[in-house]
Amino acid sequence: MAGAVIKSPVGPLTLLASDDGLAGVYYEGKYEGKVPDAQNEFTEWATKELGEYFAKERKEFTVPLAPEGTVFQLEVWQELRQIVFGQTASYKEIAQRLGRPKSVRAVGMANGCNPISIIVPCHRVIGSAGDLVGYGGGLGRKHMLLTLEGAVDEELW
């Protein structure tokens, strides 16, 4: 495993990667393990792309991903990647897209377990009424990311 801690406008981010791809992007205090001292091509790739994202120069991430999770979690995380920059979707919409309309709560749980914050855009998931709801990085960060992407009118939230 390779790792790095980088600075960002939303606070320090811990990046973790295996030999297969990026495995984690964690907000400060969300990763409890020891961060490996060595980086690899995936932590360096993610560092570059996150810098471009925060500079408003990137709307899509291309770094290969290697998250660990259940089959259902992986399906949800893949569906989250389909929510384009500047757009949002509700938990209900994600469940419907997966062909499991009754799994709204399960989608919410999988969303909350997403280990690759920002790059797997769980911050783009909102409540059915269009409200900001739970986010592991805190609602302030969620609002900041959605504002950066132009998905919300800053004055309305």
Side-chain angles (χ1 to χ4, degrees):
M1 202 56 111
V5 177
I6 64 170
K7 293 180 182 179
S8 84
V10 292
L13 298 172
T14 298
L15 310 181
L16 299 173
S18 68
D19 292 337
D20 298 320
L22 190 68
V25 175
Y26 297 94
Y27 291 111
E28 184 174 30
K30 295 295 181 178
Y31 180 71
E32 297 178 5
K34 182 174 177 354
V35 179
D37 292 332
Q39 290 200 52
N40 68 10
E41 65 181 301
F42 302 116
T43 57
E44 292 170 0
W45 192 337
T47 297
K48 178 181 181 297
E49 289 194 345
L50 284 163
E52 293 167 351
Y53 168 81
F54 286 116
K56 298 184 180 182
E57 298 168 353
R58 173 171 294 279
K59 294 182 179 183
E60 293 180 26
F61 294 95
T62 62
V63 60
L65 305 181
E68 292 185 10
T70 67
V71 171
F72 181 74
Q73 288 172 331
L74 294 170
E75 289 175 7
V76 171
W77 300 336
Q78 183 57 38
E79 191 59 40
L80 295 178
R81 296 194 72 202
Q82 305 312 306
I83 308 170
V84 298
F85 182 97
Q87 300 294 313
T88 59
S90 70
Y91 296 103
K92 181 178 180 179
E93 290 170 326
I94 299 296
Q96 290 171 337
R97 290 179 193 175
L98 291 170
R100 300 175 185 194
K102 295 183 180 183
S103 64
V104 176
R105 286 187 185 176
V107 166
M109 295 286 287
N111 194 58
C113 293
N114 171 26
I116 307 178
S117 297
I118 304 168
I119 293 175
V120 174
C122 53
H123 62 278
R124 295 180 187 154
V125 181
I126 59 174
S128 292
D131 50 336
L132 287 182
V133 292
Y135 183 60
L139 292 181
R141 284 188 182 115
K142 183 172 190 161
H143 179 263
M144 186 176 180
L145 294 171
L146 291 174
T147 301
L148 172 97
E149 295 181 6
V152 298
D153 182 340
E154 190 169 354
E155 294 179 16
L156 295 177
W157 296 70

